[in-house]
Amino acid sequence: MNVVNQAAAVFFSPSHTSRKITQAFLRGTGLPAEEYDLTLPAARGNLISLPADALVVLCAPVYGGHTVRLFMNELTRVHGQGNPAVIISVYGNRHYDRALQDLYAGAVSCGLKPFAWGTFLGEHSFTSEILTGRPDADDLALAEQFGRQAAAGFSSAVTLKAEDIPGRDVDYAMIGMHGQRLGHLTPNRPFPSENCTHCGICAAVCPLGLINPHDSNDIREECMKCGACVKLCPEHAMRFPQEAFRIVQDDCISEFGSDVNHPQFFINSLPE
Ligand SMILES: Cc1cc2nc3c(=O)[nH]c(=O)nc-3n(C[C@H](O)[C@H](O)[C@H](O)COP(=O)(O)O)c2cc1C
Ligand code: SF4
Ligand code: SF4
């Protein structure tokens, strides 16, 4: 049986919703915790050896029905030692489709033993009109409860099998058109408005390092629309003025903009 003296979280979170869920989970465990935030370019590309006595949590947002690819690529550099692990997908109210299953496969291939999963909700990266302000206090209380129960119950928990992880086919009929439009956004980058004060925050938070820190008008055209520069701009100056982007926002709001989903979590324990 594993001895657990600490927690370790490996996560990716451009607009900070996955980060908030991860940190609430860690608080819930009550364990001293190490955070490996792989959001920014400088934090990626390193080997991460997880301590043998850590309860590990992997958390990342859902992009196009999968776990964001950048995070999956980084997991190939994470080395576990048979640690008990928790996987968490954070999504913007449409669905998580295959994302949790991606995380499960990633966790197993880095030598972890997932025994619990969670799906939590975050304000949508494309617009603040979907799940505005989520995760809210209730979401964070649930994430803490999840952490508390996971830390209390891991010793009697059982490693999950692949078929235990919920998921469904990616709903391409629904999101295919969005992918098409955003994939061909011209130019493929956001733009600062005249309210920009040239503070440089957008450059500092871009996970792809696309924005020139000395000139916020100078943005490389490889944007993944993670929303970090838009949401974290203190002047609300950064935005996507392209018509195609507005159409996708409107579609998302009308298709899945209302509050219908709920956070869920599951810990795989031995039957009493
Ligand atoms: C390119 C892209 C694709 C997305 N695809 C989905 C999706 O398939 N389903 C969904 O519910 N949310 C989707 N989202 C929304 C994010 O999963 C959600 O807003 C999440 O809370 C963002 O996490 P972060 O704040 O940690 O960056 C997508 C966001 C982006 C940027
Ligand atoms: S964060 Fe906003 S105000 Fe600051 S440089 Fe970027 S666009 Fe301008
Ligand atoms: S430029 Fe694109 S990739 Fe960079 S922070 Fe802004 S939305 Fe994200």
Side-chain angles (χ1 to χ4, degrees):
M1 194 190 68
N2 295 75
V3 175
V4 161
N5 295 313
Q6 57 182 314
V10 185
F11 63 97
F12 179 85
S13 184
S15 68
H16 296 177
T17 64
S18 308
R19 180 165 89 174
K20 287 177 191 161
I21 294 294
T22 304
Q23 291 177 337
F25 177 93
L26 291 175
R27 280 196 300 281
T29 67
L31 294 164
E34 183 83 32
E35 294 182 18
Y36 301 90
D37 179 353
L38 305 184
T39 309
L40 295 177
R44 298 197 299 269
N46 304 313
L47 287 182
I48 297 177
S49 293
L50 296 165
D53 63 347
L55 171 69
V56 175
V57 54
L58 305 183
C59 179
V62 178
Y63 280 15
H66 284 277
T67 295
V68 55
R69 197 172 314 144
L70 209 58
F71 185 73
M72 292 305 296
N73 292 344
E74 283 306 303
L75 283 186
T76 60
R77 284 184 272 275
V78 174
H79 297 289
Q81 306 186 50
N83 307 63
V86 176
I87 51 175
I88 304 178
S89 289
V90 181
Y91 69 108
N93 206 41
R94 190 190 63 76
H95 204 277
Y96 52 89
D97 295 333
R98 293 283 177 217
L100 208 50
Q101 295 172 340
D102 295 337
L103 278 183
Y104 175 86
V108 169
S109 65
C110 45
L112 302 171
K113 293 187 172 164
F115 70 97
W117 58 258
T119 55
F120 284 82
L121 290 149
E123 180 175 301
H124 202 288
S125 317
F126 297 162
T127 168
S128 298
E129 290 184 45
I130 299 177
L131 301 180
T132 312
R134 302 281 294 271
D136 58 15
D138 290 345
D139 295 315
L140 297 178
L142 268 181
E144 276 196 42
Q145 185 191 332
F146 184 25
R148 214 163 28 247
Q149 292 181 1
F154 84 91
S155 53
S156 61
V158 186
T159 306
L160 289 156
K161 298 191 189 70
E163 57 269 28
D164 299 330
I165 311 296
R168 62 174 204 186
D169 285 342
V170 179
D171 190 355
Y172 285 117
M174 164 72 146
I175 60 174
M177 186 55 80
H178 298 167
Q180 276 281 339
R181 287 188 198 283
L182 296 181
H184 299 103
L185 206 61
T186 316
N188 185 17
R189 49 160 289 187
F191 288 83
S193 75
E194 63 207 23
N195 297 333
C196 173
T197 58
H198 308 284
C199 68
I201 289 175
C202 51
V205 300
C206 176
L208 300 181
L210 303 180
I211 308 176
N212 183 337
H214 309 292
D215 178 3
S216 53
N217 278 297
D218 178 11
I219 304 178
R220 297 211 315 273
E221 290 187 41
E222 296 145 44
C223 173
M224 63 174 176
K225 295 97 197 169
C226 71
C229 60
V230 175
K231 296 195 181 209
L232 302 174
C233 168
E235 307 299 330
H236 307 288
M238 194 61 93
R239 76 272 190 262
F240 291 92
Q242 297 91 330
E243 176 67 1
F245 194 83
R246 200 190 51 73
I247 292 172
V248 171
Q249 285 177 313
D250 288 351
D251 259 20
C252 291
I253 292 165
S254 65
E255 295 283 356
F256 53 86
S258 41
D259 273 8
V260 287
N261 292 299
H262 301 285
Q264 290 186 301
F265 60 84
F266 174 74
I267 299 173
N268 198 30
S269 305
L270 286 169
E272 306 245 315

